[in-house]
Amino acid sequence: MVCGTWANYFPARSQPPAHSFVGAPLAWCFHGSCLGCGDLLSIVGGVFVGGKRMGYDAVRIEALEGREAVRKRPGMWVGSTSERGVHELVLQVVSWSVNRVLAGREGGSVDVTLTHDGGVRVADDGPEVPFTADGKIGGSGLEALLTAMPAAERGGRRIVHLSPVGCRGLFVPNVLSSRLTAEVRHRGTRRVQEYARGVAVARPAAAGPMTGSGPVIAFWPDAELFETTRCSFAVLAERFRQVAFLNRGLGISLTDERPAGGARAVSFRFPDGVRDFVAALDAEEAGFFHPDVFGFEHEDPRMAGVMEVALLWNGSHRERVRGFANSWATREGGTHLDGFRDGVVAAVTAYAREQGLLTGDDVPCADRIGAGLTAVVSVKLDCPEYLGATRELLGNTEVRGCVGEAVRERLGSWFEEQPKSAAEVVDRILRNTRQD
């Protein structure tokens, strides 16, 4: 049984058009009581049995689509009109840039700047992109991405999700910004176009000499829609750091021009990916860098994806195991973490039996094996399935067996290649088990 909020019981689905009710509002007010499931049974077609008919019919419904729908109900598209919603705007634009860079070449980078006037500038060195496709409005050019809602969210193992809302591209950030400036450097020229609340102010215009490559998107969240237009340097830095860990070789920088005492900046790039992630997590716990990190990457067609796993045991009794699916943190776990634990228990048990440290039907307790274990399990799937709208519990059933099998085999081989480390780890696990 899945535990958690009610959101876990409903599958994620695409957002419907927002609706605005004009005339008599559809409002159910009950003084001193609340409407329960039993009460709902007495409502038929907008009529309370034995009560007064409510003013609600098709004539009073106004269907909103596109730009109007997003601005009418901004919380539907970014989750909140608080600081969290502003972060979502930033992450949607950065998601677009990150996925462009990852699709283009290895070692690309994305640079994010929080400007002194409250804006956000996102630049990348990915492939060139024109404003319009073949000189026409629409198509695959930047102008189409800024002015039209994508028909469907892109999927696949190579798509990075920086936020729970998903990758909707640039349309929502454009509509929810008081001003947005798009710059492209294409075929040796630099062109700029400005938008106001999702509407183009003018056609793209030439703007001086070209330097570098890739687009630059600068936007200012709309103060008419958001409670605050400021975003947290610390929150964004931690998310960018995590994404850099999970996508080996990707560079992400964050610069904050707002502090009165001068700008501050951080930059992330990790050549060893999740191995570096585990080493960093362990250093946070132990206070020093631990070089003995085991890790591997493996593609398995049975789960239509690839897994990256890294782990180490330290001297503490705390377990720190983190799971990710398509670069999104699965805080409630899922089949990838279940498979990981299955594989670790099987590898430790097999090694202990080979060394004569276990007899009979004894099997080390999984909780004991996890004591002092720091690990990151990242899977990137063509078709991830989440149990809940927040994408925090992975449900792909085939993933558990694939991850478990790979961990058992790779960790078992590492035990054989590193007998000293294996003996220390297994001996401590068995001692902890026997103390119980």
Side-chain angles (χ1 to χ4, degrees):
M1 178 178 180
V2 179
C3 298
T5 65
W6 280 106
N8 292 330
Y9 293 89
F10 297 91
R13 63 186 63 182
S14 59
Q15 294 284 1
H19 291 82
S20 176
F21 296 96
V22 296
L26 179 62
W28 297 341
C29 299
F30 302 89
H31 299 288
S33 64
C34 61
L35 182 66
C37 293
D39 300 310
L40 292 176
L41 298 178
S42 63
I43 303 173
V44 181
V47 178
F48 279 98
V49 177
K52 182 179 179 181
R53 180 177 178 83
M54 302 183 66
Y56 171 58
D57 52 43
V59 176
R60 300 177 184 273
I61 299 177
E62 178 186 0
L64 300 176
E65 297 180 356
R67 175 181 174 277
E68 291 77 13
V70 174
R71 289 191 62 82
K72 183 71 175 181
R73 299 286 186 266
M76 289 180 59
W77 308 98
V78 293
S80 171
T81 55
S82 65
E83 183 183 63
R84 183 162 58 91
V86 178
H87 291 157
E88 174 62 30
L89 283 188
V90 178
L91 294 176
Q92 287 195 23
V93 177
V94 175
S95 291
W96 180 74
S97 286
V98 165
N99 286 301
R100 272 176 35 80
V101 167
L102 293 176
R105 62 183 177 85
E106 293 185 4
S109 61
V110 177
D111 301 312
V112 183
T113 303
L114 308 180
T115 62
H116 60 84
D117 59 353
V120 181
R121 184 170 63 249
V122 181
D124 67 67
D125 61 0
E128 291 186 350
V129 56
F131 262 113
T132 58
D134 300 323
K136 300 177 181 179
I137 299 295
S140 58
L142 185 57
E143 193 170 32
L145 299 175
L146 289 164
T147 57
M149 180 74 76
E153 182 178 336
R154 295 182 301 163
R157 72 184 73 177
R158 294 177 178 82
I159 300 301
V160 172
H161 296 296
L162 269 75
S163 70
V165 175
C167 303
R168 288 201 175 93
L170 302 177
F171 176 70
V172 169
N174 189 18
V175 170
L176 298 183
S177 296
S178 60
R179 180 161 63 98
L180 182 145
T181 300
E183 174 185 324
V184 300
R185 289 159 283 189
H186 181 60
R187 295 180 180 177
T189 62
R190 174 172 167 262
R191 305 177 71 198
V192 176
Q193 185 176 30
E194 185 170 333
Y195 291 80
R197 296 180 170 87
V199 179
V201 175
R203 298 290 300 152
M210 172 181 169
T211 58
S213 64
V216 179
I217 304 295
F219 62 97
W220 289 258
D222 195 343
E224 294 181 2
L225 301 177
F226 292 96
E227 300 165 15
T228 177
T229 59
R230 291 185 62 83
C231 50
S232 167
F233 177 85
V235 169
L236 293 176
E238 176 56 28
R239 183 65 182 118
F240 296 160
R241 173 177 177 259
Q242 191 178 80
V243 171
F245 274 130
L246 297 169
N247 295 275
R248 184 173 54 248
L250 171 68
I252 305 182
S253 68
L254 175 63
T255 302
D256 190 355
E257 297 178 344
R258 301 171 300 176
R264 52 181 173 172
V266 291
S267 182
F268 308 110
R269 191 188 300 271
F270 302 103
D272 290 327
V274 297
R275 285 186 177 89
D276 288 333
F277 201 169
V278 167
L281 291 173
D282 188 64
E284 293 172 3
E285 178 76 14
F288 61 89
F289 179 76
H290 197 304
D292 195 18
V293 178
F294 160 75
F296 70 90
E297 181 177 353
H298 176 66
E299 182 175 1
D300 194 323
R302 294 174 297 175
M303 69 177 198
V306 62
M307 69 188 79
E308 282 189 82
V309 178
L311 62 86
L312 65 79
W313 278 273
N314 56 33
S316 74
H317 294 283
R318 181 183 177 189
E319 175 182 313
R320 302 184 74 186
V321 178
R322 295 192 180 186
F324 299 86
N326 291 30
S327 299
W328 179 249
T330 49
R331 294 180 177 84
E332 296 183 25
T335 51
H336 55 327
L337 291 184
D338 293 338
F340 169 76
R341 292 188 171 89
D342 293 343
V344 172
V345 170
V348 169
T349 302
Y351 180 84
R353 291 195 188 284
E354 291 174 2
Q355 300 301 313
L357 302 175
L358 279 179
T359 59
D361 297 328
D362 291 339
V363 176
C365 176
D367 292 339
R368 293 296 96 195
I369 288 178
L373 176 64
T374 300
V376 172
V377 182
S378 173
V379 295
K380 295 177 181 178
L381 309 172
D382 290 339
C383 298
E385 298 173 2
Y386 300 97
L387 303 180
T390 57
R391 306 186 183 192
E392 295 189 347
L393 182 64
L394 187 67
N396 299 65
T397 55
E398 65 279 3
V399 168
R400 178 169 187 168
C402 295
V403 173
E405 179 182 299
V407 170
R408 183 185 71 247
E409 294 177 355
R410 300 297 183 93
L411 184 57
S413 298
W414 184 77
F415 282 159
E416 294 177 1
E417 297 167 0
Q418 305 288 336
K420 182 178 179 181
S421 297
E424 292 175 356
V425 168
V426 175
D427 180 65
R428 187 177 65 195
I429 291 172
L430 295 180
R431 279 191 285 107
N432 290 340
T433 300
R434 287 161 184 160
Q435 288 175 1
D436 289 346

